[in-house]
Amino acid sequence: MDRPDPLSRAADVSGKLLIIAAAVALGVVLVWSLRAIAVPIFLAVLLATQLYPVTEWLRRHRLPSGLAVAVTLIGTALLTILVVVGIVGQFVGQVDELGDQTRQGAEDVAGWVATHSGPLDWSEADVTQHISDLGDRISQGTDDILRGVLGGVSAAASVAAGLLLAFAFLIYMLFDGGGAFRWFRGRFRDESRAEMVGRLGETAWVTLGNYVRGVATVAVFDAVLIGAALFILDVPLAAALTAIVFLLAFIPIIGAWVSGIVSSLVALAGVGVEAAIIVAVVSLAVQQLEGVAVSPLVYRRRVSLNPMVTLAVVTAGGILGGVVGAFIAVPVTATLWAMNEERRAIQDERAVPSGGEAGVEPEPAA
C-alpha cells in the first residue's frame, strides 16, 4: 500500500489540530460563560482539599458529622480572620504612604535613567512621562477587564456573592464526603472507564491539594526571608511590604516580580541605592532558591509546569479574569496536565500484555 504524500499527511494533521483547537475554544467559552458558578466551585474544591482531612479526622474521633463540619469551618474562619487582621491590616492603613514611597523610588529611577540615557538624550520628565503613559495603559486595560468580568455589577457585590456560593459548595463537599464523585463514577457501566475516571479524579484531588499547600508554604518562605532583609535594612513600611510579598506569592512568577520591584523602590526612596540593590538581590536569590529547593519539595512533583508555561497561563488568566483569573490559572492548568499524564500512564499500563512487557510477545508454551 502506497504511503500518503507529505502534503496529504500535513492536511490530515492540520485538520485534527483545527478540531482540537475548536474543542478547546468551545470549552473555554463555555467555562467563561458560566464563570459566575465555575469560579466559586473551583475555589470550594481548593479549600475542600485542605479541610476535608480535618473533618475526617474529627469524624474518626467519634464527632458527629455535622459537628465535625461546624468545628472545621469555625476554626477556619477564626484562622482566616487572624490572617486578615495580621497581614492585610499591616498595610491597609499605610497604603497612601506606601504609594508615596513607591512613587519617590520610581522618580529616583527616572532621574538615573535620564542621566544615563546616552544617545537617547531623555530628560527626567520624558522618562516620567513614559512611565506614566505605561501606567495609564495598564490601568485602562485593568478597568476594561473588570468591567467585562463584573458585567455592570459592583466589585464588592460580585465578590460577596461568589464567596457565599463557594462557602455553600464547601459545606456540601465536607458533608458529602466524596459521594457526588462516587455517584458520577457509578454512571460508567464499563469497569475500565469507571477505573480511569476514579484515578483521574484522585489525581486531580491530590494535585490541587499539593498546589494549595505548596503555594502557601512558598508564600511564607518568601515573606520570612525577604521580610527579614527589609527589617534588617530598616526599610520604611517593612511590615506592609512583607505582607505584600506574602499575598502576591499566591500569583506565581508575576507576583514575586511585582513585590520585588515595589520593595526595591521603597528601599531606594527610604534608605538609598545600596539598600535597594540588596533588596533586589535578596528577592532574586529567594526566588531562585524557591525554584530549586523549596518548590520541588513542597509540591512533591505533582505540580510540574515549566516556568514559561506558568508565566503564559498566569498572563492569560489575568487578561481574562483579572486577579482571580491569574490566581486560578496555574492550579487549573497543573491539574489538567497531571490528569493527562495519569491518562497516558493508564493507557500504557493497559497496552502491556499480561505477563510481559509492552511490545514483547509472550513465549509460546513448550
Side-chain angles (χ1 to χ4, degrees):
M1 184 176 180
D2 294 335
R3 297 179 60 186
D5 62 275
L7 185 59
S8 298
R9 291 200 302 270
D12 182 55
V13 173
S14 300
K16 292 178 180 178
L17 290 177
L18 287 174
I19 294 174
I20 294 173
V24 172
L26 181 61
V28 171
V29 170
L30 180 62
V31 172
W32 179 247
S33 301
L34 299 175
R35 61 190 179 278
I37 189 172
V39 172
I41 290 176
F42 186 74
L43 293 177
V45 172
L46 285 179
L47 291 173
T49 60
Q50 309 305 306
L51 299 182
Y52 182 74
V54 177
T55 304
E56 281 298 289
W57 182 85
L58 292 174
R59 287 192 183 113
R60 287 196 300 269
H61 285 72
R62 299 183 178 181
L63 220 62
S65 181
L67 185 57
V69 172
V71 170
T72 302
L73 292 177
I74 292 173
T76 303
L78 293 175
L79 181 61
T80 302
I81 292 173
L82 289 176
V83 170
V84 169
V85 172
I87 296 178
V88 180
Q90 289 294 330
F91 65 88
V92 167
Q94 300 176 317
V95 171
D96 292 338
E97 186 178 354
L98 185 61
D100 292 339
Q101 292 285 349
T102 305
R103 192 177 302 108
Q104 181 60 50
E107 291 175 357
D108 293 342
V109 172
W112 184 91
V113 171
T115 305
H116 300 80
S117 61
L120 295 177
D121 195 24
W122 281 346
S123 66
E124 183 174 346
D126 294 332
V127 178
T128 303
Q129 184 61 43
H130 289 314
I131 295 175
S132 178
D133 291 342
L134 178 60
D136 290 341
R137 293 193 189 98
I138 294 174
S139 176
Q140 180 62 41
T142 303
D143 291 342
D144 293 339
I145 290 170
L146 288 175
R147 280 196 294 269
V149 172
L150 301 177
V153 182
S154 69
S158 178
V159 170
L163 291 177
L164 183 61
L165 190 57
F167 183 72
F169 278 114
L170 176 62
I171 293 176
Y172 176 79
M173 291 176 187
L174 296 180
F175 266 113
D176 184 58
F181 181 74
R182 289 191 294 271
W183 175 87
F184 176 73
R185 180 184 176 186
R187 300 307 95 194
F188 295 86
R189 301 300 181 185
D190 188 337
E191 184 60 32
S192 61
R193 291 185 180 181
E195 179 189 359
M196 175 175 285
V197 170
R199 288 180 59 173
L200 292 179
E202 181 181 356
T203 298
W205 182 265
V206 172
T207 301
L208 286 174
N210 286 340
Y211 176 82
V212 174
R213 288 188 292 272
V215 74
T217 303
V218 167
V220 172
F221 177 81
D222 290 355
V224 168
L225 293 186
I226 297 176
L230 294 171
F231 279 103
I232 291 173
L233 294 171
D234 199 22
V235 175
L237 308 173
L241 291 172
T242 302
I244 290 177
V245 170
F246 177 82
L247 293 174
L248 290 182
F250 286 87
I251 301 178
I253 299 182
I254 293 179
W257 281 101
V258 171
S259 63
I261 291 172
V262 172
S263 299
S264 300
L265 290 177
V266 174
L268 175 63
V271 182
V273 176
E274 294 82 1
I277 293 175
I278 293 174
V279 171
V281 170
V282 169
S283 298
L284 288 173
V286 169
Q287 292 177 36
Q288 293 303 313
L289 181 60
E290 166 203 315
V292 172
V294 179
S295 294
L297 178 63
V298 298
Y299 289 127
R300 299 181 182 179
R301 302 192 181 277
R302 279 282 187 171
V303 183
S304 54
L305 292 179
N306 185 279
M308 290 183 63
V309 175
T310 302
L311 180 58
V313 298
V314 168
T315 304
I319 293 173
L320 292 175
V323 175
V324 175
F327 172 72
I328 69 175
V330 174
V332 168
T333 305
T335 301
L336 294 176
W337 182 268
M339 292 173 68
N340 181 63
E341 292 294 305
E342 183 67 17
R343 179 189 62 81
R344 293 174 59 183
I346 294 172
Q347 291 178 339
D348 291 341
E349 291 173 7
R350 293 176 179 176
V352 177
S354 179
E357 297 182 356
V360 178
E361 292 290 338
E363 295 183 3

